């Protein structure tokens, strides 16, 4: 579904992504794990059109999307849930969700997706008239995910969904990510909580200083001593 071929991305003079190649098949959950500053968020921003690669190519369902503007990429079927949630804090829950569907014209489908989002996140239904900025971090994370789903993506990019959340909420968010995937959405998950990420992902890539240093199935990475030591708090 997504194929990244040897991309290089710069922030000014800083070479942030150094020749990354990876692929995601339809229906998978693939996770990218790595330390802070390794290039995980940069890679997601490049896929979603917020940054342009200097070299290399990004193919979505066989078509090159490298360098396309973000809006065009959303239209093709890729949505991102940004790091830090970024909800529109002065707007209600309902208005935030409406904005997620701004590129769509199918009123019936949008209504159905409102219902789906409220089924996935009953808390959002309870709070639908509430200002997004007054909600807890966990509720805002649910809203950011719901908003991305309103674009009806085929590929959902999730950037650090568990960041700053209480352990119980982290479990809830990961359960919902799994449900979203089971209902047919392919997921690329960037996550510092490597244990949780590997528990739901099919495959994983490990990124260090802008390069992929290791990849494999979640089971393979779970059993790797290198990964245990670096990311899973094992010995």
């Amino acid at each position: 579904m997504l194929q990244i071929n040897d991309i290089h991305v710069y922030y000014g003079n800083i070479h942030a992504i150094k020749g990354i190649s990876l692929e995601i098949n339809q229906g998978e959950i693939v996770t990218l794990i790595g330390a802070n500053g390794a290039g995980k968020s940069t890679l997601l921003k490049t896929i979603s059109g917020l940054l342009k690669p200097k070299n290399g190519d990004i193919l979505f369902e066989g078509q090159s999307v490298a360098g396309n503007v973000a809006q065009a990429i959303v239209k093709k079927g890729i949505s991102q849930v940004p790091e830090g949630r970024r909800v529109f804090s002065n707007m209600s829950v309902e208005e935030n969700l409406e904005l997620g569907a701004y590129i769509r014209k199918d009123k019936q489908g949008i209504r159905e997706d409102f219902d789906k989002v409220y089924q996935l996140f009953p808390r959002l239904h309870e709070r639908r008239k509430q200002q997004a900025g007054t909600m807890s971090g966990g509720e805002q994370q649910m809203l950011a995910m719901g908003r991305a789903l309103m674009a009806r993506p085929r590929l959902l990019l999730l950037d650090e969904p568990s960041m700053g959340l209480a352990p119980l909420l982290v479990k809830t968010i990961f359960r919902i990510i799994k449900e979203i995937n089971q209902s047919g959405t392919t997921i690329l998950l960037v996550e510092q909580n490597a244990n949780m990420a590997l528990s739901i992902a099919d495959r994983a890539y490990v990124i260090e200083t802008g390069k992929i240093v290791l990849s494999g199935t979640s089971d393979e990475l779970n059993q790797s001593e290198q990964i245990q030591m670096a990311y899973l708090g094992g010995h």
Side-chain angles (χ1 to χ4, degrees), residues 3 29-30 51 76 82 120 144 185 225 231 233:
Q3 194 170 6
I29 299 180
V30 173
L51 294 170
K76 282 184 164 54
L120 269 179
T185 308
E225 274 183 37
Y231 302 107

Side-chain angles (χ1 to χ4, degrees), residues 217-232:
T217 66
S218 292
D219 288 346
E220 286 165 351
L221 266 66
N222 252 324
Q223 285 156 20
S224 148
E225 274 183 37
Q226 200 181 337
I227 298 298
Q228 286 286 345
M229 295 291 284
Y231 302 107
L232 303 178

